Amino acid sequence: SAGINILAEEADVKLEELDKLLIGGGFGTFAHRSRSALLGIIPRECKGRTRKMGNMALAGAISAAMSEDARIELSKIKDMIRVVDLPSHPSFSDAYMDAMIF
């Protein structure tokens, strides 16, 4: 939840404005979407707007290996990416503590 909040802040996007939140990897495969919001694992504002995506890195690699069009599209996406190092972000510790539910 803290990471999502920081990324939204960095992108200057309000969580309420998101159409959907794509969740990948093992978490995206096995997490229970509505319970994740109730537990604060994802922001409550995203409840009902999440989509499980499974192994997105593998899907992208397969697409790139199989299709020139996919490689071109992935190259365009790559050029739009900006890395945000969450552990060293000045707001992360506070956001992380705020997201904890005890």
Side-chain angles (χ1 to χ4, degrees):
S1 183
I4 294 167
N5 284 315
I6 295 289
L7 293 174
E9 175 186 313
E10 285 291 318
D12 198 26
V13 173
K14 293 184 180 5
L15 294 175
E16 297 81 13
E17 297 172 345
L18 295 177
D19 293 330
K20 58 189 164 210
L21 175 65
L22 307 178
I23 303 174
F27 182 76
T29 301
F30 299 108
H32 191 282
R33 292 181 298 176
S34 62
R35 288 188 185 139
S36 295
L38 290 173
L39 294 172
I41 296 169
I42 63 169
R44 293 185 194 318
E45 296 90 345
C46 296
K47 183 179 178 187
R49 290 183 280 146
T50 59
R51 184 181 304 164
K52 295 179 179 186
M53 299 302 292
N55 191 336
M56 295 191 308
L58 178 60
I62 290 170
S63 292
M66 304 286 288
S67 165
E68 176 67 25
D69 290 340
R71 284 191 292 279
I72 292 168
E73 186 65 25
L74 289 169
S75 180
K76 291 176 187 175
I77 292 169
K78 175 187 66 85
D79 292 338
M80 295 186 295
I81 292 173
R82 181 172 57 95
V83 174
V84 177
D85 184 35
L86 291 175
S88 66
H89 192 280
S91 301
F92 184 71
S93 291
D94 289 335
Y96 186 79
M97 294 302 288
D98 290 344
M100 292 182 144
I101 299 173
F102 288 108

